[in-house]
Amino acid sequence: MPKNKLNDLDPKTWLKFQKSWFIHNPPPRKRDVLTHPAKFPETLAQEFIEFFTKRGQTVLDPMCGTGSTLIAALRAGRHSYGIELNPKYAAIARQMVEQERISRQGKADVAEVVTEVIQGDAAQACQYHIPVVDYVLTSPPYWDMLHAKGAENQKKRRETQGLDVVYSDDPRDVGNIHDYQEFLEHLVRIYAGLKPLLRVQAYVTIIVKNVKKGGKIYPLAWDLGRELGKIYVLKDEKLWLQDNQRLAPFGLGSAWVSNTFHHYCLQFRNE
Ligand SMILES: C[S@@+](CC[C@H](N)C(=O)[O-])C[C@H]1O[C@@H](n2cnc3c(N)ncnc32)[C@H](O)[C@@H]1O
């Protein structure tokens, strides 16, 4: 193995991560974070962070939700900054980080690690005094899908449990932009706006899905790859497959409608 400039992994773990797909079935969520409609698992985030950074480096999630990236970074001994628009989720993220710190007390690495949750708008990231970071790991709202018709039973179930069915009613919330092109352009502007915060050669991983709406596909992952590829270099994709979801009989007997159980983890680099 030549000198490893990217991470602290041994060659075997490095190679394992380089497969272009992985199956990760999220473990059950803690009660405190259930109110958030869509989060990625900390265990998944930690694998990405440990591949794309070294211990002691800094990670940013500009839409950090309830803080999965920050908790994963803390576990991996990386500093992290998260921006979240919804004050409720930002507060939960702070609380989750605090709980994680308490549960890891006594472990020397944790005391030194900086973790900061900023309640604010990702579009203003450069104004929040965030230092230059070594890696961005994030996932945006999948357009306005939480507002879309469908999955009514699931929505009703969440509502009766007092859980959120949309992220917020804030107009700055990109999940509230209903025009697809406008949404895509704004999202690309937000990610492009992070460039001054990114170290040269830093990677950016965006976890995203293509979106089905009104009987057709809006190729959000592919559009984002193309458009953001004009700002950073689009290096690769890695597919996150879920293999424990219940199949629904969409279009049974009449049309092809897939059960979409994969996300794209798009890899860009600030070259
Ligand atoms: C897919 S969720 C991220 C979930 C997060 N990865 C986690 O595991 O908890 C997208 C998040 O983006 C937030 N968001 C939407 N627009 C935003 C904006 N302009 N600035 C910051 N956060 C925003 C939403 O409130 C939501 O929590």
Side-chain angles (χ1 to χ4, degrees), residues 6-7 18 21 39 66 72 74 80 98 105 108 127 164 171 182 186 189 196 202 214-215 219-220 222 227 238 242 260:
L6 182 60
N7 56 42
Q18 272 188 331
W21 60 269
K39 73 183 282 293
T66 51
L74 186 59
S80 65
E98 208 35 55
Q105 237 163 28
Q127 298 183 10
D164 294 347
E182 200 186 314
H186 189 57
R189 260 198 311 277
L220 173 57
W222 304 339
E227 291 306 313
K238 193 167 160 76
Q242 282 172 266
T260 309

Side-chain angles (χ1 to χ4, degrees), residues 180-226:
Y180 178 70
Q181 201 52 37
E182 200 186 314
F183 161 78
L184 181 66
E185 283 167 17
H186 189 57
L187 194 61
V188 170
R189 260 198 311 277
I190 288 180
Y191 294 142
L194 303 177
K195 204 169 171 70
L197 295 175
L198 276 180
R199 168 174 67 76
V200 175
Q201 301 285 34
Y203 283 92
V204 175
T205 300
I206 302 175
I207 300 182
V208 69
K209 240 181 182 175
N210 288 333
V211 168
K212 264 192 216 122
K213 192 174 181 184
K216 70 176 223 185
I217 272 267
Y218 290 81
L220 173 57
W222 304 339
D223 286 342
L224 197 57
R226 192 192 57 237

Side-chain angles (χ1 to χ4, degrees), residues 73-216:
L74 186 59
R75 288 179 186 164
R78 274 68 164 171
H79 308 295
S80 65
Y81 292 80
I83 306 171
E84 171 53 47
L85 189 64
N86 185 327
K88 183 168 77 175
Y89 302 152
I92 296 174
R94 281 192 198 104
Q95 186 194 326
M96 299 310 291
V97 167
E98 208 35 55
Q99 278 176 18
E100 185 66 28
R101 275 189 188 279
I102 291 167
S103 73
R104 300 180 74 83
Q105 237 163 28
K107 296 197 174 130
D109 53 335
V110 178
E112 309 296 316
V113 175
V114 174
T115 313
E116 199 179 316
V117 180
I118 298 155
Q119 191 271 307
D121 182 358
Q124 310 295 325
C126 281
Q127 298 183 10
Y128 296 131
H129 306 290
I130 297 169
V132 169
V133 302
D134 302 286
Y135 179 47
V136 170
L137 174 62
T138 194
S139 178
Y142 293 174
W143 185 22
D144 65 350
M145 281 316 288
L146 293 180
H147 295 273
K149 288 206 169 50
E152 298 303 339
N153 289 342
Q154 196 193 347
K155 276 189 192 168
K156 279 205 188 88
R157 204 167 48 241
R158 284 186 64 86
E159 266 164 356
T160 51
Q161 291 172 339
L163 305 174
D164 294 347
V165 289
V166 294
Y167 295 124
S168 70
D169 53 13
D170 191 315
R172 295 169 301 170
D173 178 340
V174 294
N176 291 334
I177 303 176
H178 299 294
D179 179 83
Y180 178 70
Q181 201 52 37
E182 200 186 314
F183 161 78
L184 181 66
E185 283 167 17
H186 189 57
L187 194 61
V188 170
R189 260 198 311 277
I190 288 180
Y191 294 142
L194 303 177
K195 204 169 171 70
L197 295 175
L198 276 180
R199 168 174 67 76
V200 175
Q201 301 285 34
Y203 283 92
V204 175
T205 300
I206 302 175
I207 300 182
V208 69
K209 240 181 182 175
N210 288 333
V211 168
K212 264 192 216 122
K213 192 174 181 184
K216 70 176 223 185

Side-chain angles (χ1 to χ4, degrees), residues 21-59:
W21 60 269
F22 62 100
I23 297 174
H24 191 108
N25 296 320
R29 292 211 247 158
K30 282 191 186 163
R31 173 81 217 160
D32 319 36
V33 296
L34 261 184
T35 189
H36 191 280
K39 73 183 282 293
F40 52 59
E42 292 81 14
T43 39
L44 180 156
Q46 191 168 344
E47 286 186 19
F48 276 83
I49 290 171
E50 289 180 348
F51 189 88
F52 288 108
T53 58
K54 284 177 173 286
R55 187 168 273 277
Q57 290 191 318
T58 305
V59 181

